[in-house]
Amino acid sequence: MPQTAEPTTSATTIPKQTRLERMRADYRQDHQNPINHFLHVGVGWPIMALAVILAPFRPWWAFGLFCLSYAIMWMGHFVFERNLPTVFTQPTTPFVMAWSVTGQILSGIGRLVTGKSKQA
């Protein structure tokens, strides 16, 4: 009677991705065009940051900047990526990614200020 070898999972097991890692992978998949990426990181996010700063002092300006930033980022999707913005298909992902990126930036600044490396 032939014996079938069962696949070994210990040596070839791929670690299971966390939800945040899956969100990051999906986000990267939806933002591959370099122009769209620039419209997000170089234009849309800074405008959004300015909107957050202005919100307590000039709420209508902040609202206008908020809308402008989203319009610019959505234009990147429709014109350059030719896909729907992530917020239409997975509404929480952009906000989770914003918090993730903000945390990474603050962590990097903290390491620069304290002189401690990540591996320490």
Side-chain angles (χ1 to χ4, degrees), residues 51 66 70 79:
F66 177 85
Y70 263 95
V79 174

Side-chain angles (χ1 to χ4, degrees), residues 23-94:
M23 283 181 164
R24 284 182 183 152
D26 291 343
Y27 186 84
R28 286 187 191 110
Q29 182 69 29
D30 290 343
H31 298 84
Q32 292 183 13
N33 185 289
I35 296 171
N36 183 42
H37 182 72
F38 175 75
L39 288 175
H40 279 65
V41 177
V43 181
W45 291 358
I47 291 173
M48 186 67 71
L50 182 60
V52 169
I53 292 167
L54 283 178
F57 309 106
R58 301 276 189 215
W60 286 111
W61 276 94
F63 178 73
L65 289 172
F66 177 85
C67 293
L68 176 65
S69 70
Y70 263 95
I72 289 169
M73 292 186 281
W74 289 355
M75 182 192 68
H77 281 281
F78 295 129
V79 174
F80 300 105
E81 290 284 352
R82 305 228 186 255
N83 64 12
L84 281 177
T86 308
V87 75
F88 290 167
T89 57
Q90 298 170 341
T92 59
T93 299

Side-chain angles (χ1 to χ4, degrees), residues 8-16:
T8 57
T9 57
S10 60
T12 59
T13 301
I14 299 171
K16 189 174 180 180

Side-chain angles (χ1 to χ4, degrees), residues 82-113:
R82 305 228 186 255
N83 64 12
L84 281 177
T86 308
V87 75
F88 290 167
T89 57
Q90 298 170 341
T92 59
T93 299
F95 303 104
V96 171
M97 292 308 301
W99 278 109
S100 175
V101 169
T102 302
Q104 290 173 350
I105 290 170
L106 293 175
S107 175
I109 290 170
R111 286 194 308 271
L112 283 173
V113 169

